[in-house]
Amino acid sequence: MTRRWFGYALGLCALLAAPLASLAQEWPARPVRLIIPYPPGGQTDVVARWIGEKMAAAFGQPWVMENRPGAQAIVGITAAKQAPADGYTFVMVNTSNVIINKFAYKQLAYEPLTDFDTVAQMGLAPLGMVVPTTLGIKSVDDFVQYVKRNPGKATFASFGTGSSSHLYGEMLKGLAKLDMVHVPYKGAGPAMQDVAAGQATMGIQDFAATLPFMQSGKVVLLATTGPRRWPGHPDVKTFVELGYPTMDLAGWVGVMVPKGTPRAIIEKVNRELNKQIHTPEGTAKLQQLGLLATGISTAEFAEQIRRDTPRWGEVFRQSGIVPE
C-alpha cells in the first residue's frame, strides 16, 4: 500500500511539474512588459531599455517599455504588484523604491520581498555630486563655503523625496551644517536638467543622468558616494576620502516580478541577464550607464536587500526626514 501511494505521489509531482516545464519552454509566446517607475532619462530608465534590447534578441519577443512615474516610484511598483504573475510583467527596481520607501512612507502599498520575487541585479549604483559649471565651484569644500556665504538660498535637487539622492543631500547638509533647501523631482532626468541650467545649486545624482551634462561641460563632478572611486573618473574623490564616512553606501539597480511568477521563467531570465552582464561589452555598457556590474543569483539579490535594509533605515533616521 505504501509503495502504491508513493507511486501516486511521484505521478502527481510529475503531472504538476510538466505544465511548469512546458510554460518555461514556450515562454515568451507574446511581448513582455517591463514597467519603469520613473520618467525617461534617468539611470533606471536607460538600463531598462538596454535590458529590453538584449532580452528581445535572446528570447525572440519584444520587451515593451512602460514608464509609470509618480510618488517616488510607488505608482509603477504598485502597477507591477497588481499585474498577473504569468511571466509577462517585470519591473525595474532600485535601492530607493525597494528599501528606502519602507522608511519614507508610513503606509506603503507594497512589501518588496512579500509581493515580489527578485530576478536579477544589474549592478551597484554610486551617485555623483554635481554643480553647475557657471558657479565656478571646483571642490566640495568650495561648495560648503559657497552655501555658508548664501544661507537659505542654495538648493539641492533630488530624484524624489526619500530617495537615495535626497538622503545623501540631507546627510551632507547635516554633516557640513549647511542651510540649503531640498527640491524633489520625479526622476533624475528632470533634476539634472535644472542643475545643468543653474536652477538648482547642486544635485547628488546617478551617473547615467549626469554624464551627458558632464560631457557637455554644463556641470562639474565634485565627489562620489560609495566605498571606492568611480572607474570612469578615478581622479574624483569619494565622500569618505573627503571626511564624510557615513556616505559610503552604494545603491543598486535590478529587476523583480510579481510574487508567484513561475520559478522556471525567473531563472531563465536571470541566467540570460547575468550572461549579458558578464560579457566585456555588457560590463562596459553598464559602466557607461553608471553601474558597476554585478550579476548575481536571485537568492543573493534577495539576501542583499535583507542585509542593506537596516543600514539604510539608520541613515534615513539620522537624516531627520519625516515619513509621509
Side-chain angles (χ1 to χ4, degrees):
M1 194 69 174
T2 302
R3 289 180 181 177
R4 181 182 298 175
W5 280 107
F6 182 68
Y8 287 155
L10 287 177
L12 179 60
C13 289
L15 286 172
L16 291 173
L20 294 177
S22 176
L23 177 63
Q25 290 173 358
E26 295 171 1
W27 179 93
R30 63 178 191 272
V32 177
R33 178 173 63 150
L34 180 55
I35 294 176
I36 308 164
Y38 298 101
Q43 182 179 62
T44 306
D45 177 75
V46 293
V47 172
R49 294 177 191 280
W50 180 77
I51 289 172
E53 176 187 327
K54 294 300 181 182
M55 296 302 97
F59 296 124
Q61 286 285 354
W63 279 51
V64 180
M65 305 295 108
E66 184 177 318
N67 291 90
R68 296 286 295 272
Q72 184 46 31
I74 293 174
V75 171
I77 302 286
T78 303
K81 172 188 171 181
Q82 296 168 345
D86 57 5
Y88 288 92
T89 298
F90 291 72
V91 61
M92 293 299 298
V93 294
N94 58 33
T95 308
S96 292
N97 57 48
V98 167
I99 295 179
I100 299 174
N101 275 1
K102 290 168 61 68
F103 306 101
Y105 296 90
K106 294 176 182 177
Q107 292 185 322
L108 195 59
Y110 58 88
E111 176 60 42
L113 293 181
T114 300
D115 296 325
F116 296 92
D117 284 318
T118 51
V119 177
Q121 184 191 84
M122 308 306 296
L124 298 180
L127 305 182
M129 175 185 173
V130 293
V131 295
T133 304
T134 53
L135 288 179
I137 292 173
K138 303 297 184 183
S139 68
V140 172
D141 186 58
D142 285 350
F143 175 80
V144 168
Q145 297 307 314
Y146 173 86
V147 176
K148 289 187 175 181
R149 289 195 304 271
N150 299 276
K153 296 180 181 180
T155 60
F156 71 95
S158 80
F159 47 74
T161 299
S163 66
S164 57
S165 175
H166 181 193
L167 286 184
Y168 278 123
E170 293 291 351
M171 279 194 284
L172 178 62
K173 178 180 174 180
L175 292 167
K177 297 179 173 54
L178 302 178
D179 181 4
M180 57 181 180
V181 180
H182 170 233
V183 181
Y185 290 78
K186 291 183 178 180
M192 274 307 306
Q193 288 175 6
D194 270 12
V195 175
Q199 299 300 313
T201 314
M202 180 272 284
I204 300 179
Q205 305 289 338
D206 62 66
F207 281 96
T210 60
L211 281 173
F213 297 100
M214 290 165 57
Q215 291 167 349
S216 66
K218 292 182 178 179
V219 300
V220 178
L221 177 65
L222 304 182
T224 63
T225 67
R228 60 184 184 274
R229 297 189 186 190
W230 178 246
H233 297 273
D235 56 324
V236 177
K237 293 181 179 181
T238 66
F239 279 105
V240 174
E241 292 177 288
L242 293 171
Y244 301 93
T246 57
M247 298 179 71
D248 65 331
L249 276 169
W252 42 257
V253 173
V255 182
M256 285 184 167
V257 285
K259 179 69 75 173
T261 297
R263 175 54 53 180
I265 292 175
I266 292 173
E267 294 297 340
K268 191 172 185 178
V269 175
N270 175 272
R271 286 193 298 271
E272 184 59 35
L273 277 173
N274 285 348
K275 173 184 168 184
Q276 296 292 340
I277 289 168
H278 291 303
T279 64
E281 174 201 0
T283 299
K285 180 63 175 179
L286 288 175
Q287 182 173 318
Q288 179 186 339
L289 299 179
L291 293 178
L292 297 171
T294 50
I296 54 181
S297 71
T298 60
E300 288 171 324
F301 187 12
E303 179 55 33
Q304 181 167 1
I305 293 172
R306 295 187 188 97
R307 186 175 64 248
D308 285 356
T309 297
R311 190 164 179 215
W312 277 106
E314 182 58 30
V315 169
F316 186 91
R317 283 185 284 272
Q318 290 179 3
S319 73
I321 302 171
V322 178
E324 296 183 6

